[in-house]
Amino acid sequence: MDKIDILSKLRDEAIVAVIRAEDKEQGLKVSEAIRQGGIKFLELTMTVPGALDIIKELSERYKGEDVVIGAGTVLDPETARLAILAGAEYVVSPNLAPEMVKLCNRYRVPVMTGVMTATEVVQAMELGVDVIKIFPGGAFGPSIIKDLKGPLPHGNYMPSGGVSLENAAQWLKNGAFAIGTGSSLTAGAKTGDYEAVTKTAAEFVSIVREAKGNK
């Protein structure tokens, strides 16, 4: 998909699954379980062993389907480029990484970088960051979105870290462009209960739709 199409779809779906796993096999199983639950944006973090191989395999597996594969925990432009070549359609970082942002913009790949302060928000917007990731979201709580949108209403904010079934709706009602969720979503995978992952994913999708008025 084109960059504009991906961002438009993300606005509609409003949820990104952040996937961490102990190995490639678990990563693939978690990804499929989440997809079955209805979440369309799958973010494979670079902390997963064999992450690039997983991104490549998932990109091929879901080619032509309504799923968007991305790379997360990308800290530098070199890793970003490798992820894009492997099939990543968007790139996410936990920090504000200017050179990585420039590379993604060069290839018209949506980029989401982590910030913690208003100063970093402005810097991110000046660099051309598409979605501003509020990380770790748990350090602030949903009220941070309203606080930022007061003086900086033109930012596309996505909290990640600390987003749960209990507060997902509030993040969105406070004006979040989308939400990113990881451990709250994938907890079942630790014991091999992938059905629980699918169930939780479906619950997140239901909450997001209701919060956005799309029941």
Side-chain angles (χ1 to χ4, degrees):
M1 284 191 288
D2 178 80
K3 177 176 180 173
I4 294 176
D5 294 332
I6 291 172
L7 291 171
S8 177
K9 184 176 178 62
L10 178 57
R11 181 186 291 276
D12 292 339
E13 296 292 333
I15 183 168
V16 175
V18 182
I19 300 168
R20 300 187 187 279
E22 296 179 0
D23 52 38
K24 179 179 178 181
E25 181 181 5
Q26 187 183 59
L28 289 170
K29 288 182 178 179
V30 171
S31 300
E32 175 59 19
I34 292 171
R35 186 198 68 82
Q36 289 182 9
I39 295 179
K40 308 293 179 59
F41 281 78
L42 308 181
E43 174 194 327
L44 273 296
T45 63
M46 289 297 104
T47 54
V48 179
L52 292 173
D53 291 335
I54 298 174
I55 289 172
K56 183 176 182 180
E57 185 164 335
L58 291 178
S59 296
E60 293 173 351
R61 177 186 298 180
Y62 300 133
K63 187 174 182 178
E65 294 190 28
D66 198 18
V67 178
V68 188
I69 306 299
T73 319
V74 178
L75 306 180
D76 50 64
E78 294 82 5
T79 304
R81 185 60 178 147
L82 288 172
I84 294 167
L85 291 172
E89 294 184 86
Y90 61 95
V91 174
V92 187
S93 69
N95 61 308
L96 186 58
E99 293 305 315
M100 188 202 74
V101 174
K102 290 178 184 178
L103 181 136
C104 290
N105 286 337
R106 183 181 304 141
Y107 293 104
R108 285 190 56 77
V109 174
V111 59
M112 313 173 195
T113 59
V115 305
M116 289 189 72
T117 67
T119 298
E120 289 182 327
V121 168
V122 173
Q123 291 173 340
M125 289 191 291
E126 290 174 344
L127 285 167
V129 171
D130 298 297
V131 179
I132 299 166
K133 174 179 168 179
I134 306 301
F135 180 79
F140 303 100
S143 64
I144 189 64
I145 302 298
K146 278 188 175 181
D147 293 338
L148 287 172
K149 288 184 79 70
L152 301 166
H154 38 296
N156 293 327
Y157 302 105
M158 180 182 75
S160 187
V163 176
S164 64
L165 290 171
E166 291 71 30
N167 63 23
Q170 194 60 53
W171 284 106
L172 292 166
K173 289 176 181 178
N174 282 6
F177 178 83
I179 56 175
T181 182
S183 57
S184 294
L185 170 63
T186 62
K190 293 182 178 180
T191 59
D193 189 354
Y194 296 102
E195 289 184 4
V197 175
T198 297
K199 179 176 180 292
T200 303
E203 290 174 348
F204 266 110
V205 170
S206 178
I207 289 171
V208 168
R209 286 177 178 170
E210 185 172 349
K212 289 175 65 63
N214 300 323
K215 297 181 182 180

